[in-house]
Amino acid sequence: MWSGYAWRLVAACLALGAAGCASRQGLLQPVEPAPDTDRVTILAATTRAPDPDAGILFSGDRGDGVSFSSIVVSIPRAREVGTLQLPRTVPGNPATDFVVVSAEPVARSELTGWFRSASGHKRRIFVFVHGFNTPFDRAVFRFAQLAHDTDAAAAPVLFSWPSRGRLLDYRRDFDNATYSRSDLAYLLKAAANSPSVGEIVILAHSMGGWPAVEAVRQLALERGGVPRKISNLVLASPDLDIGVFRRQVEDMGPRRPHITLFVARHDRALQLSRFISRGATRLGGIDPAREDYQRQLSGLSGVTVLDLTAIRAGDRVNHDLFAASPDAVRLIGDRLLQGQVITDSDVSPPLLAADALGSAAGLIVTAPIRVFDMAASR
């Protein structure tokens, strides 16, 4: 029997989902491009089943293997960093909405050519793995927003596993994410083997952290270490068990990428996941300043934790802070996608906030983003 608290969490998430556009279908229907808009070309790799509706492309069911598509997303210029302007009606208006301009299949034999044409002089690939409760269209548009706003010279590659896009399908989503981990490993291997690719940065959100870490671990076990081209593994709000995550990282061995965790204690989606997991705090919901969590992650070299709890951005669920917060987006684009490690000097300086009365005694010092090096924790 669920507690009243759990039901309140479910009700809040359902209400926010209803306020969004999860119920609208056909958002990927291609439209004519408009002037004065920006475009992002994404290579989408998915284990979803194809959908006959051109506005859906791929459903929430498992497909027969992995499929590849080249999708061009048009983005309006009159918007703020971190915002995602989805169509209110179908088809959308390219002058005001995120819309798809074209979507074409890509054969496996054409992957090498795609990497060669898209990676540019930086020879960098940006791989994104979405999380739980994410239909294909939302994964495409969220990644297009993130790739555009980070403004990094990297070819965007989406890996989309068969999320059903429904809040109450948590267990099925987890099974589908697990089902897809070997296909993600194949994609990473193909990119690492391409002479046109010099560096790979992976960003996985929420439940997507599970197949992402598993795929990197699988490559490490196959090759005696993670391919050196995989420089950074970024886990945003990871819906992972802390102990399992530690074992996964240890299994990767010393030759592994730097790992960056974005965590927030007010992430309501992870609070619900914690309830479903019978009280086990999820990795993305920890307080890295607490000694018990530091002890569980202590000694893991190359693991940096960024605490975003002080940030207010996006909706009230606080599960998309990595993409909705301009500060977090800046760090991803300026540092992580450049293959670098975030330190205290990279985050915004402390803010001084007076209380409502404006008295000097009410001054509070807050740091929007806190940085923790787990190798140094005890």
Side-chain angles (χ1 to χ4, degrees):
M1 195 70 175
W2 283 24
S3 67
Y5 173 70
W7 278 117
R8 287 194 297 273
L9 281 175
V10 171
C13 292
L14 282 172
L16 287 167
C21 69
S23 61
R24 293 198 289 278
Q25 298 292 316
L27 297 182
L28 299 180
Q29 179 69 47
V31 301
E32 289 296 322
D36 299 322
T37 56
D38 296 326
R39 298 183 195 178
V40 175
T41 301
I42 296 171
L43 175 67
T46 183
T47 50
R48 298 172 183 262
D51 192 288
D53 189 331
I56 297 176
L57 288 183
F58 294 96
S59 72
D61 297 321
R62 296 175 186 174
D64 183 13
V66 59
S67 302
F68 299 92
S69 302
S70 179
I71 302 176
V72 180
V73 179
S74 172
I75 300 177
R77 290 178 180 171
R79 50 175 290 276
E80 297 181 359
V81 170
T83 58
L84 184 57
Q85 297 172 198
L86 298 175
R88 293 181 178 274
T89 59
V90 177
N93 180 358
T96 58
D97 306 327
F98 280 62
V99 296
V100 165
V101 174
S102 66
E104 300 294 338
V106 175
R108 287 193 184 213
S109 59
E110 298 173 339
L111 286 180
T112 299
W114 193 93
F115 290 136
R116 182 173 57 252
S117 63
S119 57
H121 70 280
K122 291 288 186 179
R123 301 174 65 243
R124 184 178 294 124
I125 297 294
F126 178 22
V127 179
F128 177 64
V129 187
H130 64 75
F132 160 66
N133 189 27
T134 305
F136 186 69
D137 54 8
R138 289 302 294 262
V140 168
F141 287 134
R142 172 57 81 187
F143 185 37
Q145 172 257 310
L146 188 62
H148 176 273
D149 290 352
T150 52
D151 195 26
V157 178
L158 168 68
F159 183 81
S160 182
W161 49 275
S163 170
R164 302 297 292 275
R166 294 194 291 263
L167 184 66
L168 299 183
D169 278 338
Y170 183 91
R171 296 291 186 186
R172 182 61 174 173
D173 266 21
F174 179 80
D175 289 341
N176 284 343
T178 303
Y179 169 84
S180 304
R181 56 189 171 183
S182 293
D183 296 293
L184 176 53
Y186 170 83
L187 172 66
L188 297 176
K189 189 185 305 182
N193 289 340
S194 172
S196 302
V197 176
E199 185 177 10
I200 302 167
V201 176
I202 306 166
L203 192 157
H205 178 226
S206 186
M207 189 180 285
W210 168 248
V213 178
E214 279 290 280
V216 174
R217 172 181 175 271
Q218 180 173 319
L219 291 180
L221 295 177
E222 289 177 359
R223 298 186 170 204
V226 180
R228 295 191 182 278
K229 290 183 181 181
I230 301 178
S231 62
N232 253 306
L233 172 59
V234 185
L235 303 177
S237 306
D239 189 0
L240 293 170
D241 177 273
I242 301 174
V244 172
F245 168 74
R246 182 182 183 101
R247 290 296 299 271
Q248 290 171 311
V249 173
E250 291 173 342
D251 286 348
M252 293 178 194
R255 204 182 83 191
R256 59 178 181 251
H258 189 88
I259 299 175
T260 303
L261 310 177
F262 285 87
V263 305
R265 297 186 300 282
H266 61 337
D267 187 323
R268 300 179 75 177
L270 291 183
Q271 291 170 8
L272 179 59
S273 176
R274 175 179 180 175
F275 177 82
I276 295 173
S277 303
R278 301 183 182 274
T281 299
R282 312 314 287 165
L283 181 62
I286 67 170
D287 179 355
R290 279 180 43 174
E291 185 176 348
D292 53 341
Y293 293 132
Q294 290 186 0
R295 185 169 57 252
Q296 292 181 71
L297 296 175
S298 64
L300 286 181
S301 60
V303 176
T304 302
V305 180
L306 305 183
D307 187 355
L308 308 185
T309 303
I311 289 179
R312 297 294 183 270
D315 57 39
R316 289 182 291 114
V317 174
N318 300 313
H319 196 50
D320 293 331
L321 294 177
F322 75 103
S325 163
D327 285 339
V329 170
R330 176 183 59 82
L331 289 176
I332 293 172
D334 293 350
R335 302 293 293 175
L336 296 177
L337 282 179
Q338 309 303 321
Q340 300 177 24
V341 176
I342 294 175
T343 64
D344 286 325
S345 62
D346 297 311
V347 302
S348 302
L351 303 177
L352 292 178
D355 64 6
L357 298 178
S359 65
L363 288 177
I364 304 172
V365 179
T366 63
I369 299 177
R370 297 187 301 169
V371 182
F372 296 83
D373 181 356
M374 288 297 100
S377 63
R378 62 181 187 275

